[in-house]
Amino acid sequence: MYKAIIVDDESIVRDGLRNTIAWNDHGFELAGDYENGREAWEAIERLKPDLIISDISMPFMDGLELARLVSTNYPYMKVVILTGYDQFEYAQQAIRLKVRDFVLKPITAREIRELLDKARAEMDEEAKRLEDLGRLRSQLHQSLPLLKERFLERLVLLGLGKPEIEERFAYFGLPPLEPPCLVMVADIDDFGEKETLIDDGHDAEFLRFAVFNIFEETASQRPGTLLFRTREEKLMAIVGGAADESELYDAAFGMAEEVRHLVEKYLRFTVTIGIGHAVSSAEQLPASARSALSALDYRFQQGKNKVLGITDMEGSSAPASPVPNRDWDRRLAAAVRTGAADEARELIGRIAGELRSAPLPVCFLHIQRILLALLDVAQELGLGLESPAGEAAPIQPLCLTEVYRFKTLGEIEDWLKDIVASLMAGIADNRSRFTRLQIARATDYIEEHYADEKLSLRDLCRHVLMSTSYFSLAFKQCTGETFVEYLTRVRIEKAKALLLATSLKFYEIASRVGYADPNYFSILFKKHTGMTPRDFRERQAKESV
């Protein structure tokens, strides 16, 4: 289902088109209707419709100005102009703006239906052409020869002299470059849902070729564009043939946006494209390529699926001064040590938010400092980390250069949260195991010293080297009893055994289990067993007869 919008300052026209046409029957969803070009342009940027049906004469922004903006920024969108003015000059302007159709008012419902059917047929044909993977596979063997690609890659990345450039262009039958020109570079972000379906390198190569094919078809509509693949599996294009730099940038951004849109729409994954500075000769192309790659690097902060121009990034993304040192590493390490999980996650989110406006070197420096702090915590506590992939790994492989394998700051943020969660889980497990061992030592100590009437909580805490408050909490969690309850139960059980196995006097038994006062012992014994020591001994004696 394609999306369409209506733009007309006459409400009767909008109402008529909206209510008399069964849009879904013709393969379209009517996403909205607007009374002037300004409102429509805001909606276009938000909705990204496939078809725009617009009047020419409107307040604030007329239909031709709207068509010009669409043609420049979203060249893949189709525009149909409606007008009541039968003037040839409008038709000429519409043709220059690549308007798909130019229809005179009044227009009938039947004409609109025919127009929609025709537009849908063209869009379906485009989709079929782009989605025909069998055709893409056959074209894989008909792409530019490898030698030509390597020459263009060397020209753009290393630079060549003018005589060699002219000689090689003639040899490969390439059209001469017309300055000004620039370099753009496209890189696949990831394969989206197809990532899990890729079985081997051949599948990945096929998908990369599908992107190349879309780029190639888009570039073929722009004379003076040379497209090639690099050995690092990126796509590069040399764009030229414009009257001035302004026109060159418009052409480059329009082409890049169309490629980005088509890859997302038909291949169901995304690419990011960097656009470099304009240069005045082919010998200067390496400078443009370096700036294009720098623009692509801003994907780390700006996110995936974008067209990034170095002129925009340098003007809006690089701050006047580096991000100040906020002791992020120390604060995060403290949160991890204390088990403050929510605080740690919130801090990582704040760090990522502030680093989005930092220069890339500063950004990586702060992340590496944070990793150093986490490494220190893990090594200090003798822990290993659980890798994000789920495989147990010792702390050593978490090296500082690992940050460079991620393409966006969002991925770094998720990765840090995974590391912190694994580290905190390890710390909690270690603490729990240590606490259980200490409580076991405490219960062993009670078993050995229960007969000491002066045995106290303080003695026990000194033995296991724990504070009284923490020990009391941990002891209750592990045994289900307080220290006094546990000690009393042990002493009563020992007293029972003595009552049954010996003929000791009651005061002697009281003394042997830690009670100097026989009366107090007798009261405690009855409270826990429901009978006095005498009754307990006599009853057990009768039952054993």
Side-chain angles (χ1 to χ4, degrees), residues 123-140 206-207 209-211 213-214 217 266-267:
M123 293 176 183
D124 288 346
E125 182 62 30
E126 289 177 6
K128 182 180 179 182
R129 185 173 67 253
L130 291 168
E131 292 174 333
D132 186 358
L133 297 184
R135 185 181 64 85
L136 293 178
R137 191 181 294 276
S138 67
Q139 288 185 348
L140 177 61
F206 179 65
L207 292 173
F209 178 71
V211 176
N213 185 267
I214 287 177
E217 290 196 6
Y266 294 112
L267 298 182

Side-chain angles (χ1 to χ4, degrees), residues 14-40:
R14 297 197 308 274
D15 293 342
L17 291 175
R18 184 176 59 248
N19 298 324
T20 61
I21 303 298
W23 294 82
N24 288 352
D25 293 348
H26 299 277
F28 286 90
E29 170 199 352
L30 184 58
D33 58 273
Y34 308 92
E35 63 180 352
N36 61 68
R38 183 182 300 171
E39 289 183 3

Side-chain angles (χ1 to χ4, degrees), residues 208-280:
R208 292 189 191 98
F209 178 71
V211 176
F212 176 82
N213 185 267
I214 287 177
F215 210 142
E216 188 177 44
E217 290 196 6
T218 305
S220 67
Q221 302 170 21
R222 170 75 194 180
T225 300
L226 297 175
L227 178 66
F228 61 96
R229 291 167 291 188
T230 73
R231 277 168 284 200
E232 294 182 348
E233 299 177 344
K234 292 182 174 64
L235 294 179
M236 280 191 161
I238 305 170
V239 185
D244 53 38
E245 289 188 8
S246 177
E247 183 181 317
L248 178 66
Y249 282 124
D250 285 346
F253 275 91
M255 185 190 309
E257 173 59 28
E258 184 166 4
V259 170
R260 184 208 62 76
H261 165 78
L262 292 174
V263 169
E264 181 182 25
K265 183 170 184 177
Y266 294 112
L267 298 182
R268 300 292 190 270
F269 55 84
T270 64
V271 297
T272 295
I273 302 174
I275 298 177
H277 289 301
V279 294
S280 58

Side-chain angles (χ1 to χ4, degrees), residues 86-105:
D86 187 7
Q87 295 181 1
F88 183 64
E89 62 179 293
Y90 286 134
Q92 284 183 312
Q93 291 183 59
I95 291 170
R96 284 198 298 272
L97 294 172
K98 297 182 181 179
V99 170
R100 186 204 164 277
D101 215 336
F102 186 89
V103 183
L104 294 178
K105 291 181 179 180

Side-chain angles (χ1 to χ4, degrees), residues 132-151:
D132 186 358
L133 297 184
R135 185 181 64 85
L136 293 178
R137 191 181 294 276
S138 67
Q139 288 185 348
L140 177 61
H141 305 289
Q142 302 171 14
S143 60
L144 292 175
L146 182 61
L147 285 176
K148 183 172 70 175
E149 287 197 335
R150 295 291 77 84
F151 158 68

